[in-house]
């Protein structure tokens, strides 16, 4: 709820700060007008907000039967977002002390025919409609959740950008804002947070760009306003709060891989048979399962082996971890 | 200052602080749902952190005494070294218990022993247990002061093992270890430096350094 209040206020602030001719640009006007109509048609009055594309509908292909969806308050209060603290309960607190995730500019560039820089809501409009998918989420630290994400396939963005033939990888960079993000003033990490996929992985139907969870815009701590979700890879591959998506020819440097190349590989596919050098990856603790629940067995490619196994056919997964 | 020193030197004050830390950080959050989304992990981390900081506190106290021999506050705190050390061991045992619950079964527990960070932790904890068990007058008498002192220098080894254990236990945990390691190392260095300069210059310098290092504890 507070989420919506903040957004309403932000919108009012944007309106107040923007000269009228610009504020009433056609696209902007249509977006706001269209949303207003859609929202008043589907939502109770209290929850009307400038949240592009909501409400959305569950994509029946990604219902994920037989697993318990992790409660929302756990999804939004426990995660790694090193820009906002080292402990997993810190991002909820630190990412909400005045950090603005709207308006938000996102750049698509590199080796593609259609590079562009635009506001994130404009991008969401372009790539929508958004849909809901329930995805397993497995952290490299051996804990897991099941999260209902709202967003769209990454492939849609790739198609929009039209990568050139020589583009073999996609590089994702999170925001860099050392003025407002204290952690980014220190050199502990090579900021900004960067991640990468092969172009084939980025076109896979499972690769997803999330703009919301639980049917609401992403909370700041979960990577607002837009983040990557790659459910068959360890969580750190799913970069948050994206500022730039780039098509490149060489395998991009990624943050955790730079920090500890022997521990965090470029592929980082969930694999119970290849341990992290310092801890086992055979099992995982399920968040929300209870104090004495112990751990459950980790699945190959996080349970998505049938869908993604072919991407790595013939590859030595022990070497390309 | 005197009054503060008297309070700090009070045994009851020390005990209630050492137990109070556990109640405040572990029991109260556990009863009020303040442990968050992964409560066992939270307890695991908190018990470990409390234990290692208490060990750090004990190891800081003796160099502080050497550096500030006239400070009443440092002297008062030094009275509690045994209590703090034993508390460190007790919190470390709670940490072990949390680990057993976290792994949730014999399989997971045995599997955890395939990883070196567990071995560093187990070695450090074993030392803490030995030191806690021999932290009474009877042990001092039966071992003899010299031997006892030598035995209890294992605390430094334990600290090194446990800081390393913590640093390699998680994804970015080395960032916390340094806050413990560098202050402790600096204190020891300051003590050794001070003893070197305070020592009358009649001995050969190398011998002086050797004696100082040997005397440092």
């Amino acid at each position: 709820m507070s989420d919506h209040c903040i957004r309403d206020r932000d919108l009012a602030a944007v309106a107040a700060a923007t000269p009228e001719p610009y504020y009433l640009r056609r696209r902007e006007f249509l977006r706001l007008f269209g949303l207003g109509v859609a929202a008043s048609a589907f939502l109770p009055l209290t929850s009307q907000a400038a949240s592009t594309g909501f409400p959305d509908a569950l994509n029946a292909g990604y219902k994920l039967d037989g697993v318990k969806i992790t409660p929302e308050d756990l999804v939004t209060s426990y995660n790694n977002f090193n820009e906002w603290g080292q402990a997993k309960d810190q991002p909820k607190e630190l990412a909400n002390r005045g950090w603005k995730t709207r308006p938000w500019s996102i750049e698509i560039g590199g080796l593609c025919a259609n590079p562009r820089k635009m506001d994130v809501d404009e991008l969401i409009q372009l790539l929508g409609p958004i849909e809901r998918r329930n995805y397993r989420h497995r952290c490299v630290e051996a804990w897991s959740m099941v999260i209902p994400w709202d967003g769209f396939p990454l492939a849609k963005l790739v198609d929009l950008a039209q990568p050139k033939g020589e583009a073999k990888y996609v590089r994702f960079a999170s925001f860099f804002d050392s003025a407002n993000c204290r952690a980014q003033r220190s050199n502990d990490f090579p900021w900004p947070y960067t991640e990468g996929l092969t172009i084939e992985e980025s076109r896979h139907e499972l690769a997803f760009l999330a703009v919301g969870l639980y049917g609401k815009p992403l909370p700041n701590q979960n990577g607002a306003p837009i983040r990557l979700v790659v459910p068959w890879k360890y969580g750190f591959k799913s970069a948050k709060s994206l500022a730039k998506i780039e098509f490149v020819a060489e395998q991009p440097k990624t943050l955790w891989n730079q920090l500890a190349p022997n521990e965090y590989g470029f592929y980082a596919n969930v694999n119970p048979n290849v341990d992290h050098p310092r801890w086992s990856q055979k099992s995982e603790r399920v968040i929300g399962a209870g104090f004495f629940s112990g751990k459950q067995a980790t699945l190959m490619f996080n349970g998505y082996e049938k869908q993604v196994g072919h991407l790595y056919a013939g590859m030595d997964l022990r070497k390309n971890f | 200052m005197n009054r503060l020193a008297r309070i700090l030197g009070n045994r009851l004050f020390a005990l209630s602080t050492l137990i109070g830390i556990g109640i405040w950080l572990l029991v109260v959050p556990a009863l009020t749902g303040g442990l968050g989304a992964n409560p066992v992990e939270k307890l695991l981390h908190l018990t470990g952190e409390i234990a290692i900081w208490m060990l750090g506190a004990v190891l800081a106290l003796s160099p502080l005494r050497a550096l500030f021999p006239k400070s009443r506050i440092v002297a008062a705190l030094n009275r509690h070294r045994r209590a703090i050390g034993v508390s460190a061991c007790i919190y470390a045992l709670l940490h072990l218990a949390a680990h057993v619950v976290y792994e949730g079964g014999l399989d997971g527990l045995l599997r955890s022993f395939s990883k070196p960070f567990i071995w560093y932790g187990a070695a450090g904890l074993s030392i803490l247990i030995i030191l806690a068990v021999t932290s009474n007058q009877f042990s001092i008498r039966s071992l003899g002061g010299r031997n006892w002192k030598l035995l209890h220098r294992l605390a430094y080894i334990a600290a090194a093992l446990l800081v390393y254990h913590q640093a390699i236990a998680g994804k970015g945990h080395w960032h916390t270890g340094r806050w413990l390691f560098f202050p402790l190392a600096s204190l020891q260095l300051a003590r050794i430096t001070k003893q070197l300069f305070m020592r009358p210059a009649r001995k050969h310098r190398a011998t002086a350094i050797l004696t100082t290092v040997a005397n440092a504890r």
Side-chain angles (χ1 to χ4, degrees):
Chain A
M1 222 54 245
S2 60
D3 216 16
H4 291 146
C5 297
I6 291 168
R7 282 181 210 299
D8 282 343
R9 230 186 306 126
D10 286 351
L11 199 72
V14 170
T18 315
E20 207 166 325
Y22 294 102
Y23 180 60
L24 287 178
R25 275 183 323 193
R26 187 177 156 271
R27 190 195 292 270
E28 205 75 19
F29 175 76
L30 283 179
R31 186 167 68 78
L32 289 172
F33 180 73
L35 257 178
V37 172
S40 48
F42 295 111
L43 289 174
L45 259 165
T46 44
S47 61
Q48 283 183 18
S51 46
T52 313
F54 292 97
D56 54 339
L58 178 70
N59 180 333
Y62 302 94
K63 200 167 155 225
L64 218 58
D65 283 310
V67 293
K68 191 176 159 268
I69 310 275
T70 310
E72 185 180 359
D73 63 316
L74 302 185
V75 175
T76 57
S77 65
Y78 184 86
N79 64 345
N80 286 303
F81 196 169
N82 297 96
E83 285 86 337
W84 305 107
Q86 297 300 302
K88 285 183 279 294
D89 53 2
Q90 279 178 317
K92 184 185 180 168
E93 169 90 24
L94 300 179
N96 289 301
R97 288 191 186 161
W99 178 43
K100 291 234 177 296
T101 52
R102 272 198 171 82
W104 185 277
S105 169
I106 181 164
E107 189 181 346
I108 300 166
L111 304 167
C112 64
N114 197 6
R116 49 173 73 207
K117 189 170 182 171
M118 61 190 141
D119 186 76
V120 70
D121 286 326
E122 212 174 310
L123 179 71
I124 297 169
Q125 283 287 290
L126 268 173
L127 298 174
I130 61 177
E131 62 181 66
R132 176 183 294 196
R133 292 181 180 192
N134 298 329
Y135 273 169
R136 273 186 280 266
H137 179 91
R138 168 61 156 80
C139 177
V140 74
E141 297 170 336
W143 54 265
S144 70
M145 292 182 178
V146 178
I147 304 174
W149 299 107
D150 308 279
F152 37 79
L154 174 62
K156 280 194 183 178
L157 181 137
V158 176
D159 289 343
L160 176 80
Q162 297 171 33
K164 294 176 180 165
E166 62 263 40
K168 299 287 181 240
Y169 295 89
V170 192
R171 177 182 180 271
F172 299 85
S174 298
F175 72 101
F176 181 75
D177 181 8
S178 55
N180 294 303
C181 177
R182 246 186 79 152
Q184 292 189 330
R185 276 173 242 163
S186 116
N187 293 324
D188 286 354
F189 293 88
W191 304 116
Y193 194 97
T194 44
E195 259 311 332
L197 296 174
T198 67
I199 197 94
E200 292 78 23
E201 289 172 333
S202 75
R203 284 196 155 118
H204 192 279
E205 55 170 18
L206 279 171
F208 202 60
L209 280 171
V211 296
L213 58 83
Y214 265 97
K216 286 171 273 183
L218 281 175
N220 281 0
Q221 66 269 28
N222 292 87
I226 189 166
R227 64 168 292 170
L228 188 61
V229 178
V230 197
W232 72 92
K233 293 174 180 281
Y234 291 120
F236 69 88
K237 291 296 289 183
S238 296
K240 301 183 185 76
S241 303
L242 298 174
K244 194 170 182 185
I245 299 172
E246 233 180 331
F247 296 88
V248 293
E250 306 287 327
Q251 183 173 305
K253 283 185 177 168
T254 61
L255 182 132
W256 281 106
N257 184 247
Q258 274 173 283
L259 284 172
N262 59 324
E263 299 187 346
Y264 309 101
F266 175 78
Y267 288 96
N269 294 315
V270 176
N271 187 344
N273 307 317
V274 178
D275 274 357
H276 185 283
R278 292 186 275 129
W279 58 83
S280 167
Q281 295 291 28
K282 281 202 168 47
S283 59
E284 65 207 36
R285 200 164 175 95
V286 179
I287 301 303
F291 201 84
F292 293 104
S293 64
K295 291 178 165 182
Q296 78 176 18
T298 291
L299 302 171
M300 188 66 199
F301 293 113
N302 203 21
Y304 299 101
E305 185 170 15
K306 242 197 285 178
Q307 294 96 313
V308 300
H310 67 91
L311 289 174
Y312 312 101
M315 193 184 265
D316 182 354
L317 296 176
R318 209 160 274 284
K319 228 175 107 197
N320 297 291
F321 56 89
Chain B
M1 232 34 181
N2 271 345
R3 224 168 110 198
L4 180 63
R6 213 167 324 138
I7 296 170
L8 289 177
N10 184 285
R11 193 125 295 185
L12 195 67
F13 169 79
L15 275 182
S16 42
T17 305
L18 292 168
I19 297 168
I21 287 172
I23 292 175
W24 179 48
L25 291 175
L26 306 172
V27 180
V28 173
L31 295 179
T32 57
L35 292 174
N38 197 350
V40 196
E41 184 195 57
K42 190 85 184 174
L43 285 181
L44 181 69
H45 288 172
L46 284 173
T47 46
E49 289 260 336
I50 297 172
I52 203 166
W53 282 101
M54 284 190 173
L55 181 61
V58 186
L59 296 184
L61 283 174
S62 40
L64 278 176
R65 189 171 54 178
L67 288 168
F68 307 102
K70 291 196 184 113
S71 163
R72 283 169 195 274
I73 290 174
V74 170
L77 290 173
N78 261 279
R79 291 188 62 210
H80 307 310
R81 282 195 299 167
R82 177 188 296 169
I84 303 172
V86 172
S87 304
C89 178
I90 291 170
Y91 284 107
L93 286 169
L94 289 173
H95 180 62
L96 173 66
H99 174 66
V100 172
V101 176
Y102 190 85
E103 292 299 337
L106 198 62
D107 268 9
L109 194 62
L110 290 177
R111 198 180 302 130
S112 75
F113 273 86
S114 70
K115 294 297 158 187
F117 84 93
I118 289 291
W119 286 101
Y120 285 98
L125 176 60
S126 309
I127 294 177
L128 291 190
I129 293 172
I130 293 169
L131 301 193
V133 168
T134 58
S135 68
N136 44 53
Q137 290 304 324
F138 173 77
S139 301
I140 299 177
R141 256 188 316 241
S142 46
L143 282 167
R146 229 186 132 77
N147 287 334
W148 186 87
K149 224 173 199 173
L150 210 63
L151 177 70
H152 277 243
R153 273 185 203 155
L154 282 176
Y156 291 102
I157 311 238
L161 289 169
L162 293 176
V163 168
Y164 191 63
H165 159 76
Q166 187 200 28
I168 66 170
K171 197 157 88 197
H173 288 194
W174 59 83
H175 293 300
T176 25
R178 62 186 171 184
W179 297 114
L180 193 64
F181 179 77
F182 288 112
L184 281 181
S186 319
L187 273 178
Q188 290 297 340
L189 214 66
R191 164 160 77 174
I192 291 170
T193 315
K194 183 184 176 187
Q195 282 172 346
L196 274 182
F197 280 99
M198 299 293 276
R199 195 165 288 271
R202 61 193 139 89
K203 278 188 194 164
H204 190 268
R205 198 158 183 81
T207 340
I209 292 171
L210 283 178
T211 333
T212 314
V213 172
N215 286 343
R217 41 161 222 103

